[in-house]
């Protein structure tokens, strides 16, 4: 029996989870709590990484953590600066199945972790099972992007009718796109079990 689960996090950030193990190329954070994945991209040298930008990242992460109480499960914001290079953009998103309290705890924890792990990154993201937190020096809202990302690979070959499987996955993705776009928190999930 083939079983798979697809979860789309956000219209601008798609993730496909097929109940698989993470790829070895992903940086994994060992932490006391749940397992987190992170990506610190576009690391800067200290000379090009201003104190103002770092301060704006801290402010942004504080804003994200404090706005998680809005019960929407999604939030994005910008900390503008007099110098465009110091402006920072950020967002968080929680899964639909997480309670408001779990969402809040996750975003707070992810914000702490991202500041510890990505101290000189111009752009970074932390993923937990129920949420992600991201910041960047460029505006990424309402844009489809494939980076940064986490990739999960199935460690077993699919046994069955590949064409039929691909059709089911394609139909699910189309359904999820519509559901996520009309959902208040811009997320959707669906499971399929086929013999």
């Amino acid at each position: 029996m083939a079983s798979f689960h697809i979860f789309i996090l956000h219209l601008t950030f798609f993730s496909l989870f097929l109940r698989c193990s993470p790829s070895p190329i992903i940086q994994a954070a060992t932490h006391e709590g749940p397992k987190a994945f992170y990506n610190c991209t576009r690391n800067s040298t200290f000379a090009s990484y201003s104190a103002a930008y770092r301060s704006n990242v801290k402010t942004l992460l504080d804003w994200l953590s404090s706005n998680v109480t809005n019960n929407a499960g999604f939030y994005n914001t910008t900390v503008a600066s007099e110098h465009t290079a110091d402006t920072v953009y950020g967002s968080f998103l929680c899964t639909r199945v997480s309670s408001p309290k779990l969402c809040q705890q996750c975003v707070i924890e992810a914000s702490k972790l991202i500041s510890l792990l990505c101290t000189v990154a111009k752009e970074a993201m932390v993923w937990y099972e129920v949420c992600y937190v991201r910041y960047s020096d460029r505006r990424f809202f309402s844009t489809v992007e494939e980076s940064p990302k986490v990739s999960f690979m199935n460690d077993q070959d699919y046994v069955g009718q590949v064409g039929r499987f691909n059709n089911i996955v394609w139909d699910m993705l189309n359904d999820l796109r519509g559901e996520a776009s009309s959902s208040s928190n811009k997320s959707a999930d669906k499971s399929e079990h086929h013999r």
Side-chain angles (χ1 to χ4, degrees):
M1 175 168 72
S3 170
F4 53 96
H5 183 83
I6 295 179
F7 176 67
I8 294 182
L9 281 176
H10 191 259
L11 291 177
T12 62
F13 176 74
F14 293 92
S15 289
L16 179 63
F17 293 89
L18 297 172
R19 296 187 197 244
C20 309
S21 56
S23 159
I25 61 169
I26 301 305
Q27 300 167 325
T30 32
H31 196 61
E32 293 173 8
K35 190 171 189 177
F37 298 96
Y38 68 99
N39 190 325
C40 306
T41 56
R42 301 181 55 219
N43 284 334
S44 304
T45 62
F46 282 104
S48 66
Y49 191 78
S50 73
Y53 186 78
R54 186 75 215 144
S55 175
N56 288 346
V57 167
K58 183 184 178 327
T59 300
L60 179 120
L61 293 172
D62 289 344
W63 286 1
L64 291 176
S65 295
S66 64
N67 279 288
V68 75
T69 58
N70 67 12
N71 291 334
F74 169 74
Y75 183 75
N76 62 34
T77 191
T78 304
V79 178
S81 184
E82 185 178 314
H83 302 289
T84 308
D86 294 327
T87 297
V88 62
Y89 307 88
S91 69
F92 74 77
L93 178 72
C94 294
T95 63
R96 291 191 321 170
V97 296
S98 63
S99 67
K101 183 175 181 170
L102 183 59
C103 177
Q104 182 179 28
Q105 290 170 339
C106 185
V107 171
I108 290 169
E109 187 64 28
S111 296
K112 287 178 190 173
L113 192 58
I114 205 169
S115 6
L116 291 172
L117 297 172
C118 304
T119 55
V120 292
K122 285 285 203 175
E123 182 172 40
M125 183 181 278
V126 169
W127 295 265
Y128 280 102
E129 186 177 343
V130 297
C131 77
Y132 82 82
V133 170
R134 177 181 181 185
Y135 74 82
S136 179
D137 63 333
R138 61 191 176 76
R139 185 177 173 83
F140 59 88
F141 310 137
S142 302
T143 344
V144 175
E145 294 189 337
E146 293 186 13
S147 178
K149 67 181 173 182
V150 151
S151 299
F152 291 85
M153 295 182 290
N154 195 335
D155 56 359
Q156 297 178 345
D157 290 333
Y158 173 73
V159 178
Q161 299 172 2
V162 175
R164 182 170 180 262
F165 176 82
N166 288 338
N167 287 337
I168 292 168
V169 170
W170 183 253
D171 289 344
M172 284 180 66
L173 287 172
N174 282 328
D175 291 347
L176 286 169
R177 181 179 59 199
E179 288 177 31
S181 66
S182 61
S183 169
S184 63
N185 70 352
K186 304 301 180 205
S187 66
D189 64 272
K190 187 173 183 178
S191 293
E192 291 285 337
H193 302 279
H194 291 275
R195 289 191 180 273

